[in-house]
Amino acid sequence: MKLDFIDLGKLCVSRTNMRFSKKAPDVTDILPTMRRHGVIVPVLVRQNGSPETFEIVAGTRRFHAAALLAQECRALGQEVDAMPCAILESGDDADAVEASLIENSARLDPDEVTRWECFTRLVREGRGVDDLSTTFGLPDLAVRRILALGNLLPRIREAYRRKEIDATTVRHLTMASKSQQKAWLALYDDPDAYCPTGYQLKQWLFGGQSIPVAHALFDTSGMAGIVADLFGEESYFADLQAFWSAQNGAIEQRRTTYLEAGWADVVIVPPTEHFHTWEHEKAPKRKGGRVYIDVRSNGEVTFHEGYVTAKEARRIECGDAVTPAIKAARPEVTGPMQCYIDLHRHAALRAALIDHGGLALRLMVAHAIAGSSLWHVGIEKQTSRHDAIAESVENGRGEADFDAARRKVLTLLSLDPDEPTVTGMGKDQVNRWDGSDLVAIFLRLMALGDADLLCVIAVVMGEALASGGAIIEAVGRHIAMDMASYWQADDAFFDLARDREVLTAMMGEVAGSTIAGANAGEKSKVLKTIIRNHLEGADGRDKCEGWVPRWMTFPPSAYTARGGVGTVEKAALAADATARRALSRDGANEDLSADLEDFAALEGLDGREKPDGPDAPDGPDTADVSRHLTVM
């Protein structure tokens, strides 16, 4: 076998290769390593009928990864490295197949403990988690899980290497304290004891355990709230709040003692976090070493004296000083207390808003404009897949009038009048969700009079009014909307109108029944020309003023019995809702009349004698009368 460097252009994958395929293999797992270190293990090749070309017997994935890296180098104008190859002697295909199978099968992936040993050496050499993740093509989480094996007792780690302990159990043990690991090993060694593993171990370590008195850093003599087991061998705290209050005080005292002893800093690691030895290195007090106080949820506290972070250890080696970490000031109010304050203030304020209707209206409009964590107002974008439709709407009078009103409102709110919308304060602006935008808009609305406020409301509602809904029909009919003032037939309309039956009916509306009957058999193009001429008064035709097709009037109607007119269907929904409301009001009137009659009789009103005694009939409650009056 001969070792040599061969250009990639002279290599191809042999059909005898066990990974031969027309489709390129996945190389994402080895690409990061090769990008950093190149090809470390030569590929196996043999001559391909010519002394200048070779075919790859084993190493297809390395070859494809090298090809991808070559493309990257060419794009950057860099030189492409040749491929390290081990050239096999000439032989038959059976020899090549055996070589391919042996090269791909006779490999044993390292176990996690071996990886941990290697990763630990690399960390000591200055490699970080990001470096290891990039080099070996592993997710950050996978690297951290491997490094977390350093938290285990050596015996547990070796048992994991020998596959005597499963991976799930090891994952949970990496979060356990040393004393918990020792207790677990005692159960593991006892053949008559139950040793929790897997997810049962997680419950054993963290779920619902009592706090032993042995974990207390303070004097427990004479302390109330301590219970013992039946044999008096173990004692536990029954009052967890009292324990943590005393334990935190003792931890703070120990912290002060360490600082007075000259330690650069003392860091308290809360129960929600963990102290990982692989992230730190030993450092003496004189070189800025810290004390880490590791507090566990079971009350156990471990003191790690003389440690710095791995990055700080590199700086110490370079002669730089380590500055103590600046501890954040303890907030005046705890999280639960802040929640208590916020909820009570919120409950009181919304009750007081009931007596301030005008302010509440302005507040609601401010939420619609600026938004909040609870308010997300969508905007009708008036989009269409047809450019002609979008252009027709944009050039219409309705859009022009609304744009003028929008600009006025933006000016009233001290916003840029060129912003496309009022609602959302313009998508191009940075909308801060800390509430400052909401407060600013609310204060501006409070300074506006009622007339300007109503103008703002109309524009905001117009922007958020969905197109094509039943509410369009209800509002348009209520205000007696006249479409003729805002719309005239244009090229886009005539291009979309193609039904001959409908066009004939439209021609009858603008030209009269005589002309419509005479031209009923003409093609659609002729019918459109006649309609257009009458609308424009061209070609000697009588001009038809203010014509609007039935589909667009309020209320709309159809030209045929075929159906399929969206505006007509939505108008029917609006009419149905109106009818149901009328029936409800009529029913309420009838119930109210009966209740008022009974109420008057029972109360002796209108000169009637008021019934009394145990046999007096029950009548309507005043709440029933009030309810009917509210419906009215």
Side-chain angles (χ1 to χ4, degrees), residues 214-362:
H215 291 169
L217 299 179
F218 52 89
D219 184 10
T220 61
S221 58
M223 184 176 180
I226 295 178
V227 296
D229 59 16
L230 294 176
F231 304 99
E233 296 178 352
E234 296 288 344
S235 299
Y236 301 90
F237 289 95
D239 189 346
L240 298 183
Q241 185 175 359
F243 164 78
W244 282 113
S245 177
Q247 187 80 332
N248 289 334
I251 292 173
E252 190 61 34
Q253 290 179 3
R254 295 286 291 271
R255 179 179 182 275
T256 303
T257 302
Y258 275 119
L259 291 174
E260 292 176 350
W263 289 96
D265 192 13
V266 179
V267 179
I268 299 176
V269 183
T272 55
E273 302 175 13
H274 295 289
F275 176 81
H276 300 294
T277 55
W278 57 268
E279 291 181 330
H280 302 80
E281 292 190 17
K282 292 287 291 185
K285 184 191 303 183
R286 57 186 176 80
K287 290 189 176 182
R290 299 190 189 92
V291 176
Y292 288 85
I293 304 178
D294 191 10
V295 183
R296 296 303 179 108
S297 57
N298 65 348
E300 183 180 3
V301 181
T302 305
F303 297 88
H304 303 276
E305 299 180 359
Y307 280 91
V308 292
T309 64
K311 291 183 179 180
E312 291 171 338
R314 305 285 85 77
R315 291 168 52 191
I316 293 176
E317 292 177 358
C318 297
D320 297 334
V322 177
T323 57
I326 301 176
K327 182 181 179 182
R330 184 165 58 91
E332 179 179 342
V333 176
T334 62
M337 174 56 76
Q338 189 62 57
C339 178
Y340 176 90
I341 295 170
D342 291 341
L343 292 179
H344 272 286
R345 285 162 56 86
H346 176 270
L349 181 63
R350 70 179 183 180
L353 274 177
I354 297 174
D355 298 327
H356 299 275
L359 184 148
L361 177 61
R362 287 167 169 81

Side-chain angles (χ1 to χ4, degrees), residues 569-621:
E569 295 172 355
K570 294 299 188 294
L573 291 176
D576 182 61
T578 303
R580 289 200 307 270
R581 174 63 177 168
L583 290 175
S584 176
R585 291 172 62 92
D586 292 342
N589 289 337
E590 294 176 1
D591 292 343
L592 175 61
S593 299
D595 284 343
L596 287 175
E597 183 69 21
D598 295 342
F599 186 75
L602 290 173
E603 295 298 324
L605 303 178
D606 296 334
R608 307 181 190 188
E609 182 179 354
K610 181 177 181 180
D612 196 7
D615 297 329
D618 294 331
D621 193 281

Side-chain angles (χ1 to χ4, degrees), residues 151-188:
N151 295 335
L152 297 173
L153 293 174
R155 187 180 163 201
I156 296 177
R157 208 161 38 235
E158 289 303 315
Y160 182 47
R161 189 203 298 271
R162 296 191 299 269
K163 298 184 179 180
E164 297 174 1
I165 304 174
D166 62 89
T168 304
T169 300
V170 167
R171 294 283 178 266
H172 296 316
L173 286 173
T174 58
M175 297 183 290
S177 65
K178 291 297 187 290
S179 63
Q180 287 176 316
Q181 294 180 34
K182 291 177 181 178
W184 183 85
L185 278 175
L187 296 175
Y188 183 77

